[in-house]
Amino acid sequence: MLRSLLARTMLVLAGCLVSSSSAQNGLTVEEIVQRHIDALGGRARIDAVQSTITHADYREGNFIAPGAFIAKMRPYYRTICDVRGKLGDVCEGYDGSAWEWYADPGVTLRVVGAAAAATRHGTEFIDSLVDYSSRGTHIQLVGADVFGGEKVHKLHVTLADGFEKDLFVDQKSFLIVRDRRSAPVHAFGEAVQSENRIGDYRVVNGVLFPFTFTEVEMASGKEMNRLTVQSMEMNPSLPAGFFAPPPHSPTPLQAFLEQLYMERTDPRSVMWSYREFRAATPGLDTRSGVEFIGYQMAKMSDFSAAIELLKANAVDYPKSAGAQYGLGRAYHAAGKMNEARAAFEKALQIDPGFKKANDGLNALR
């Protein structure tokens, strides 16, 4: 959860290939971008920043994560864990492609789809109005708006992968004060329209950086999450390998789970590997690991492989409510609501107090 929301929260902008539309007050997009760069500290000072480490506090409702770690380096490197210290439960990063690491069951996954998009959208360095020419993004000036009594320029941004959002630049300070987008919060959730309120700019090594990011749901005005920067380190010496997944020597089970994930586009290969490994290791409990990998397959939209794998898992562990719940969740993600209902009901037959299965069933009603 944290990694995904951090990615959304830290998504201020992505660099842009600008249009030359005219703005109110006679400013073009190019002129707004240049004034923004000047306001941050100027091109020379910005270009002097090659890497950063940010320590921040993160809050989502009652969930609080103090000391969140975010490292970034030009041109696109990013990670939200410090591989030099004790790792938490999850980590994600980008070293040319998006990856996720999970302490339990101890696997590294190269992700695609929405998960990869959330990660790569967080790789901009400084913000997207700074390095616009290198990002393949288009900006259109669509007019003006007013926030908190202050006039802002409204820019519509389309990233190179097609993702769209609106950005708001204060007409006096030329700092980015808000952005709006529509994106899922969690793996299988509906897209949520939200607004990031960006502020508390502070000078670090001659460059202005925002220190607060508050994401608010547009429909209700409810705060979804808040990230508050505590400190920033400029130009730490970080090799490219720092942004790779944490090194590990996988156990046979972990290697098996990673193999299933890599085969996820080919259900026949997945099931062959599953049966072979189960036959070779009859005493090994694979249930929870397979449930996890099946979920990850579904998260990548590889529903056929996920469903076949989780069906086999439920057959092999007939007394497990969790196995039935995992299968129901995959069915639900694939849009097979009747099958999802049957799986959730079977999970509750096994364990009437299984809250996740009950919640899953209620979501179908």
Side-chain angles (χ1 to χ4, degrees):
M1 180 183 297
L2 174 58
R3 49 189 177 72
S4 296
L5 291 168
L6 277 174
R8 288 166 56 86
T9 304
M10 293 307 294
L11 173 61
V12 181
L13 301 162
C16 316
L17 177 65
V18 297
S19 70
S20 58
S21 303
S22 296
Q24 290 189 7
N25 302 325
L27 294 180
T28 65
V29 171
E30 292 90 341
E31 290 168 333
I32 293 173
V33 170
Q34 185 57 55
R35 293 196 185 191
H36 174 67
I37 291 172
D38 292 342
L40 291 180
R43 173 59 66 181
R45 286 182 177 144
I46 290 172
D47 288 349
V49 181
Q50 294 295 308
S51 61
T52 63
I53 290 178
T54 299
H55 297 277
D57 293 337
Y58 176 80
R59 175 188 293 270
E60 181 193 353
N62 293 327
F63 173 77
I64 301 175
F69 176 96
I70 305 163
K72 297 165 70 175
M73 186 171 73
R74 294 183 188 269
Y76 50 66
Y77 295 102
R78 177 179 179 270
T79 181
I80 63 168
C81 65
D82 188 348
V83 297
R84 301 168 301 185
K86 183 179 180 181
L87 297 173
D89 293 334
V90 295
C91 182
E92 72 171 25
Y94 191 92
D95 59 357
S97 69
W99 55 264
E100 297 177 356
W101 175 84
Y102 296 87
D104 183 13
V107 297
T108 296
L109 310 176
R110 291 283 176 175
V111 297
V112 296
T119 298
R120 67 174 175 263
H121 291 165
T123 63
E124 74 278 359
F125 199 82
I126 309 295
D127 63 47
S128 24
L129 295 185
V130 170
D131 294 324
Y132 62 87
S133 61
S134 65
R135 304 294 293 197
T137 305
H138 178 75
I139 298 181
Q140 180 183 6
L141 178 59
V142 295
D145 209 327
V146 177
F147 288 126
E150 300 296 330
K151 294 181 179 180
V152 295
H153 297 290
K154 182 178 180 180
L155 306 175
H156 186 72
V157 175
T158 305
L159 305 187
D161 63 1
F163 182 77
E164 298 181 56
K165 59 184 175 179
D166 291 322
L167 308 174
F168 301 88
V169 179
D170 187 274
Q171 290 188 11
K172 292 182 180 179
S173 68
F174 286 91
L175 299 175
I176 299 165
V177 292
R178 302 185 187 220
D179 71 43
R180 289 177 179 169
R181 69 183 72 86
S182 178
V185 178
H186 303 296
F188 303 123
E190 296 293 327
V192 175
Q193 291 187 331
S194 66
E195 175 180 274
N196 254 334
R197 298 172 182 174
I198 304 161
D200 190 18
Y201 280 82
R202 303 183 190 182
V203 177
V204 184
N205 278 34
V207 178
L208 276 175
F209 290 90
F211 269 54
T212 62
F213 302 83
T214 304
E215 187 171 17
V216 175
E217 184 180 27
M218 294 292 294
S220 65
K222 179 182 178 181
E223 180 178 308
M224 298 168 63
N225 59 80
R226 177 188 296 265
L227 185 136
T228 304
V229 174
Q230 298 300 324
S231 65
M232 294 187 69
E233 180 181 351
M234 296 292 105
N235 294 323
S237 180
L238 300 173
F242 181 86
F243 299 89
H248 74 300
S249 299
T251 65
L253 176 59
Q254 291 165 347
F256 161 67
L257 296 176
E258 291 180 353
Q259 176 184 335
L260 290 178
Y261 177 81
M262 288 188 291
E263 294 175 341
R264 67 189 181 275
T265 60
D266 183 357
R268 287 189 176 90
S269 291
V270 167
M271 295 312 300
W272 184 282
S273 297
Y274 176 77
R275 294 189 184 99
E276 292 280 276
F277 187 81
R278 290 274 301 165
T281 58
L284 186 61
D285 186 348
T286 61
R287 181 190 59 79
S288 62
V290 167
E291 288 172 20
F292 171 85
I293 288 298
Y295 172 81
Q296 296 298 325
M297 289 178 175
K299 197 170 76 172
M300 300 299 106
S301 297
D302 294 301
F303 300 121
S304 295
I307 289 170
E308 289 303 309
L309 179 64
L310 293 170
K311 281 169 61 178
N313 189 53
V315 169
D316 288 340
Y317 294 93
K319 296 182 179 181
S320 170
Q324 289 293 337
Y325 168 73
L327 176 59
R329 185 166 56 172
Y331 276 133
H332 189 188
K336 298 178 180 291
M337 301 308 175
N338 290 335
E339 292 88 343
R341 181 175 291 104
F344 291 145
E345 288 175 346
K346 191 165 184 179
L348 288 171
Q349 290 171 8
I350 297 170
D351 180 2
F354 192 12
K355 184 178 184 302
K356 288 183 178 179
N358 190 58
D359 291 343
L361 192 60
N362 287 335
L364 298 176
R365 292 170 178 163

